[in-house]
Amino acid sequence: MAEKKVMLDSGIEIDPLYTKADVKPELPGQFPYTRGVHEGMYRDKPWTMRQYAGFSTPEESNARYHFLLNQGVTGLSVAFDLPTQIGYDSDDPLANGEVGKVGVAIDSIEDMERLFKGINLENVSTSMTINASGFILLALYIALAKRQGADIKKIAGTIQNDILKEYAARGTYIYPPKPSMRLITDIFEYCSKEVPKWNTISISGYHIREAGSTAVQELAFTLANGKAYLKAAIEKGLDINVFAKRLSFFFNAHNHLFEEVAKFRAARRIWANITKDLGATSPDAQKLRFHTQTGGSTLTAQQPMNNIVRVTIQTLAATLGGTQSLHTNGFDEALSLPTEQAASIALRTQQIVAEESGICDTVDPFAGSYYIETLTNKVEEEALNLIGKIDAMGGAVDAIEQGFIQEQIAASSYKYTQAIERNEKIIVGVNKYQSKEMSKTPIMKIDDSIQKMQVDRLTQFKQNRDQDKVKQMLNLIIEKSSSSENLMPIVIEAVEAHCTLGEIAHALRSVWGEYRA
């Protein structure tokens, strides 16, 4: 009788048995940080519990933030609508039909003030999922902190700001790669001096995985992008031992518990060696810190309550893998934006795991597992092989421009879909254990009247400002965009002068143009 063969989606073969010979002992808090970036990990401090939220108007999102804070959330994560993500104001014809739909609409400093009304920015950590227009949203956040009287050296949070994965997997880019990379290094430089507690980029594997990559590809492509950002900053003359301390990562958590844990452990080890090879000597510059979100693409519209179980498994994977913060998806997110009930259950999932499962009792509970240690080594080996191919092409930017990364993701996505269609991969409720009952799950709908409200408010905002000052600031942005001067102070001054997000984005479009794949 032939021995059963077990393969992961990443192509790694799983042996039926692992032994002590497969294990190499390491300690947490020590290079290469496989077992965790801190010696005490969750014994000292549990992960930050975030809930990703943003929809409709700033007031509606603000109400959800207050609800989540009252439920025990320890950090906010902001979702922006599509026009905001790609640099269009709510009154732009290209924004029609999309205002407030997949996130909150933010056009101006007044919108940002409404979004965080009653929330002291010195007392909360805020993560903003924004990329191409991320520099403008960060400027708005800093400007609001200054309005509140906060010391901007004390405000903490993360801006995603990862444009390379937009070219590779997601598509919400604005400018060509070179000027986009310039904006990112401008943020590195500005924040290292002025906003030292801010994580200046969250290098994102999440959307790479959502686009259909395997776990190994998610890891390899994300770290290759990270390597490209390191090199760009070094070329700008920045000190890796300073700016690399504020880099963070954003990974996906899927359902194969053991592969995901191995992925997170391998990520820390690979990144420690990448930074060391590029000259980092400070341990804080060598440590990979990451946020995790449970897998949106794993959620099913069929039997949606099953998603609570999936999210629980993914929560275990992220925390057993040593994440620094976590967002858990609502069970209804294959159908709509999460309702309050779904968001509350998602948060309670984290809290139950933290308080009742014993995960926080000891550092890296899976360490020493023959299986996990071997799988960590195999994931690392496969990821390094892919990173080597990307390096041979000239790095992540060249690999993206040649279409290599996009083709790899597309091929994996197709293979995965075929496996489900052939019943080689089982998705409960989809291709096995189906049920004929119709779902009665309530869904959240965003009313189309939101767009008119936002546009009317924006029209009034534009009428009540110093038009000469606005024109002066936009001309200054255009002028400085062709120089080597850091744009962040100018953009902050522009939003304080009531320039809108779309106006600033368009000013730079007039110089740099738009990227076309």
Side-chain angles (χ1 to χ4, degrees):
M1 186 175 176
E3 184 180 302
K4 181 181 178 183
K5 197 170 187 178
V6 177
M7 300 288 290
L8 298 180
D9 294 333
S10 299
I12 294 171
E13 185 174 351
I14 302 303
D15 295 338
L17 180 68
Y18 295 94
T19 69
K20 187 176 180 180
D22 298 306
V23 178
K24 176 186 175 184
E26 290 182 359
L27 292 175
Q30 294 185 17
F31 187 92
Y33 312 106
T34 310
R35 296 189 61 189
V37 291
H38 305 299
E39 287 183 10
M41 289 301 290
Y42 305 146
R43 276 181 73 102
D44 295 339
K45 181 186 177 184
W47 62 92
T48 301
M49 297 181 193
R50 298 186 184 277
Q51 285 305 109
Y52 185 47
F55 57 92
S56 186
T57 63
E59 289 89 346
E60 287 282 338
S61 294
N62 176 264
R64 176 64 66 89
Y65 296 156
H66 280 285
F67 167 77
L68 291 170
L69 289 167
N70 290 333
Q71 293 290 307
V73 155
T74 51
L76 298 175
S77 291
V78 184
F80 298 97
D81 72 357
L82 189 58
T84 303
Q85 291 180 47
I86 51 178
Y88 292 106
D89 285 335
S90 297
D91 60 358
D92 194 292
L94 290 176
N96 189 36
E98 293 294 339
V99 175
K101 289 292 175 71
V102 299
V104 62
I106 298 295
D107 299 316
S108 68
I109 181 68
E110 286 189 359
D111 283 339
M112 193 62 103
E113 195 164 34
R114 295 181 188 105
L115 184 66
F116 290 101
K117 185 177 181 181
I119 299 171
N120 187 327
L121 299 190
E122 272 194 30
N123 297 337
V124 67
S125 168
T126 303
S127 173
M128 295 192 284
T129 303
I130 194 75
N131 297 285
S133 58
F135 68 106
I136 308 173
L137 271 299
L138 178 58
L140 286 164
Y141 193 87
I142 291 169
L144 175 60
K146 289 165 69 177
R147 269 196 183 189
Q148 287 187 352
D151 180 353
I152 65 169
K153 292 193 184 305
K154 293 180 180 177
I155 62 172
T158 303
I159 190 167
Q160 190 162 105
N161 198 31
D162 177 6
I163 202 64
L164 292 180
K165 70 99 171 57
E166 295 295 332
Y167 300 125
R170 191 161 175 265
T172 58
Y173 42 71
I174 301 175
Y175 313 112
K178 275 193 176 179
S180 295
M181 293 292 278
R182 179 259 179 95
L183 287 171
I184 289 167
T185 54
D186 277 1
I187 290 170
F188 288 176
E189 182 181 48
Y190 174 81
C191 288
S192 66
K193 297 173 184 174
E194 305 297 334
V195 198
K197 289 189 174 182
W198 196 266
N199 295 320
T200 49
I201 192 169
S202 178
I203 305 160
S204 176
Y206 185 84
H207 301 101
I208 290 171
R209 191 68 174 278
E210 290 292 285
S213 81
T214 66
V216 165
Q217 288 172 334
E218 176 193 357
L219 179 56
F221 299 155
T222 305
L223 297 189
N225 287 347
K227 195 173 182 180
Y229 294 127
L230 289 177
K231 287 185 174 181
I234 290 168
E235 286 171 11
K236 192 180 175 73
L238 304 183
D239 183 353
I240 191 171
N241 284 311
V242 176
F243 76 81
K245 293 177 182 178
R246 303 316 306 178
L247 271 58
S248 67
F249 287 80
F250 174 25
F251 288 115
N252 209 313
H254 272 224
N255 289 329
H256 197 292
L257 178 67
F258 306 104
E259 184 180 31
E260 294 300 297
V261 171
K263 178 188 76 180
F264 298 133
R265 298 173 91 250
R268 284 190 290 270
R269 188 188 294 168
I270 296 171
W271 186 248
N273 283 295
I274 286 173
T275 53
K276 184 180 179 182
D277 291 346
L278 288 174
T281 54
S282 164
D284 284 340
Q286 296 170 341
K287 293 176 181 177
L288 181 145
R289 303 166 186 84
F290 67 100
H291 169 72
T292 309
Q293 182 173 338
T294 56
S297 61
T298 69
L299 304 179
T300 64
Q302 301 92 329
Q303 302 175 27
M305 297 301 285
N306 292 346
N307 294 326
I308 297 174
V309 181
R310 293 186 176 100
V311 168
T312 303
I313 292 169
Q314 294 161 13
T315 300
L316 290 169
T319 52
L320 286 166
T323 193
Q324 275 60 68
S325 75
L326 177 63
H327 161 77
T328 35
N329 289 329
F331 67 84
D332 55 359
E333 289 191 56
L335 301 166
S336 71
L337 291 169
T339 60
E340 279 197 1
Q341 181 198 26
S344 182
I345 291 172
L347 176 60
R348 292 289 182 255
T349 302
Q350 292 199 55
Q351 291 166 337
I352 289 168
V353 169
E355 302 290 349
E356 301 181 26
S357 73
I359 274 182
C360 296
D361 293 349
T362 190
V363 178
D364 194 13
F366 272 169
S369 158
Y370 306 147
Y371 177 33
I372 288 292
E373 296 291 358
T374 305
L375 194 51
T376 300
N377 295 339
K378 287 187 175 181
V379 169
E380 178 188 24
E381 181 184 343
E382 293 294 325
L384 286 173
N385 181 45
L386 262 178
I387 292 170
K389 289 180 181 179
I390 291 167
D391 287 344
M393 294 178 188
V397 175
D398 289 320
I400 288 166
E401 288 179 342
Q402 292 173 42
F404 172 75
I405 292 177
Q406 298 93 311
E407 288 167 6
Q408 292 281 309
I409 295 170
S412 293
S413 179
Y414 181 63
K415 184 178 177 183
Y416 182 85
T417 302
Q418 281 187 314
I420 294 171
E421 289 175 351
R422 290 195 294 255
N423 285 344
E424 294 168 1
K425 187 168 189 68
I426 300 303
I427 308 296
V428 173
V430 176
N431 60 355
K432 194 173 183 180
Y433 313 114
Q434 295 102 326
S435 170
K436 291 183 179 178
E437 295 94 12
M438 296 295 291
S439 170
K440 293 187 175 126
T441 304
I443 62 173
M444 177 183 286
K445 292 183 178 178
I446 305 301
D447 196 287
D448 288 336
S449 64
I450 295 302
Q451 178 168 330
K452 184 178 184 308
M453 184 191 308
Q454 188 69 12
V455 169
D456 288 347
R457 199 153 53 184
L458 179 59
T459 301
Q460 187 175 9
F461 173 82
K462 287 180 176 179
Q463 288 172 348
N464 296 335
R465 60 186 183 173
D466 184 335
Q467 306 299 342
D468 290 337
K469 181 66 174 175
V470 167
K471 189 174 180 181
Q472 177 190 341
M473 291 309 306
L474 294 174
N475 286 336
L476 186 60
I477 288 171
I478 291 170
E479 177 191 333
K480 298 299 182 183
S481 66
S482 300
S483 73
S484 59
E485 188 173 337
N486 194 306
L487 286 176
M488 279 306 298
I490 303 161
V491 174
I492 293 168
E493 190 178 347
V495 299
E496 289 176 327
H498 290 194
C499 295
T500 68
L501 175 136
E503 289 169 337
I504 294 169
H506 283 317
L508 291 174
R509 278 186 176 97
S510 72
V511 182
W512 295 337
E514 290 188 339
Y515 179 71
R516 292 285 183 265

